Amino acid sequence: MNETTNPYQAPEANLVTASGGDWALVEPRRVPIGHGWKWIADAFRLFGRSPVIWILNGLIFMVITIVLSILPMVGLLATILMAIMTGGLMLGAWTLDREGTGLRVDHLFIGFRDRLGRLAAIGGLYLLATIVITAVVMVPVLFGIGFLAANNGEGMNPASMMLPMILFGLFIFLLSVPVLMAYWFAPSLAMLHDDVDAIRAMKLSLVGCLRNILPLIVYGLIMTLFFVLAAIPFFLGLLVMVPVMLASMYTGYRDIFVGDGDEAA
């Protein structure tokens, strides 16, 4: 008997495989420093193909993240949900990139159906690393503040707390950079390749970022400037810049990890 098609069955996601022809996953390549801007320019072009859907996805992404972040006891879940939603958007960006159309609002939630385990693991590992870093740095800072307080009979001078707090912020930043590098391309790698689990995705992402420090610095500086400008008109520019940032995570992944990308100069 021939197999019949269920008209009510949810459509299958068209995921990229690790041996997907011209989209084969390759060893993370080094790209020229100017590609930091190229990722952003390509992201703007990808945004321009479906701006309304991108804005809707970006708005929903921001609302869910902000609401969960401010809710007591569940705020930590925002990090995990961000990884899951980002993975879905990477599939949507891939579809839009390959077909010129096809980005949908439900791409934001497709990670809850496909690749859920590995995407949630990426978010969980990122969250765990952030907690550990904060705790490790907090102990010596609190010890330093306590030492200053114990040796200052007249009470704590607010100026004397500046140095420990500055050091605290600096150490948090320095230790968080490699963690962010391990996260940045991981949702794309986990969602778009069958044999890339959470651990491998984060390792590849870290290697890809470390090999492209200079393009990432250029990318970070330009994106920071754009976000500052986007915040000026009552933060309305974020409706564009948040989707562009998400799209740039995909365009950077494509440039560094995909077999049909430009070879490094």
Side-chain angles (χ1 to χ4, degrees), residues 126-137:
Y126 179 72
L127 173 62
L128 178 62
T130 302
I131 293 173
V132 170
I133 288 172
T134 304
V136 168
V137 175

Side-chain angles (χ1 to χ4, degrees), residues 60-253:
I60 297 171
F61 185 94
M62 285 190 293
V63 169
I64 291 176
T65 302
I66 292 172
V67 169
L68 287 179
S69 297
I70 62 178
L71 289 177
M73 304 303 294
V74 298
L76 296 178
L77 293 177
T79 303
I80 298 175
L81 292 180
M82 282 175 62
I84 298 171
M85 292 188 294
T86 299
L89 286 177
M90 296 305 99
L91 177 61
W94 175 81
T95 303
L96 185 62
D97 186 28
R98 296 288 282 180
E99 301 176 5
T101 185
L103 179 67
R104 307 184 308 270
V105 174
D106 65 319
H107 272 119
L108 189 63
F109 306 103
I110 204 168
F112 291 94
R113 188 190 69 193
D114 298 304
R115 319 295 206 202
L116 175 60
R118 63 179 71 173
L119 291 171
I122 289 170
L125 289 170
Y126 179 72
L127 173 62
L128 178 62
T130 302
I131 293 173
V132 170
I133 288 172
T134 304
V136 168
V137 175
M138 183 75 75
V139 171
V141 169
L142 292 177
F143 177 81
I145 293 175
F147 178 81
L148 291 174
N151 288 273
N152 191 340
E154 298 179 357
M156 284 292 293
N157 184 347
S160 65
M161 297 182 60
M162 289 298 296
L163 181 59
M165 296 309 298
I166 291 174
L167 291 176
F168 173 74
L170 180 61
F171 288 146
I172 288 287
F173 173 76
L174 292 176
L175 293 175
S176 296
V177 167
V179 176
L180 181 60
M181 287 181 174
Y183 173 83
W184 192 250
F185 296 119
S188 297
L189 291 160
M191 173 58 80
L192 299 176
H193 297 276
D194 285 338
D195 64 347
V196 180
D197 59 18
I199 299 296
R200 188 184 177 202
M202 298 188 81
K203 287 181 178 178
L204 285 171
S205 179
L206 179 60
V207 172
C209 288
L210 289 174
R211 290 182 179 176
N212 293 279
I213 291 293
L214 293 180
L216 280 170
I217 291 175
V218 171
Y219 168 86
L221 291 174
I222 296 174
M223 287 297 288
T224 299
L225 175 61
F226 280 169
F227 266 88
V228 170
L229 295 175
I232 292 175
F234 305 103
F235 296 93
L236 293 178
L238 296 180
L239 294 175
V240 172
M241 285 312 304
V242 168
V244 168
M245 182 194 70
L246 291 165
S248 71
M249 296 172 73
Y250 166 81
T251 56
Y253 144 81

Side-chain angles (χ1 to χ4, degrees), residues 22 26 29 35 38 254-264:
D22 61 345
V26 299
R29 61 167 65 84
H35 281 219
K38 180 180 183 295
R254 183 187 63 188
D255 193 30
I256 295 172
F257 297 95
V258 173
D260 68 343
D262 298 331
E263 294 297 329

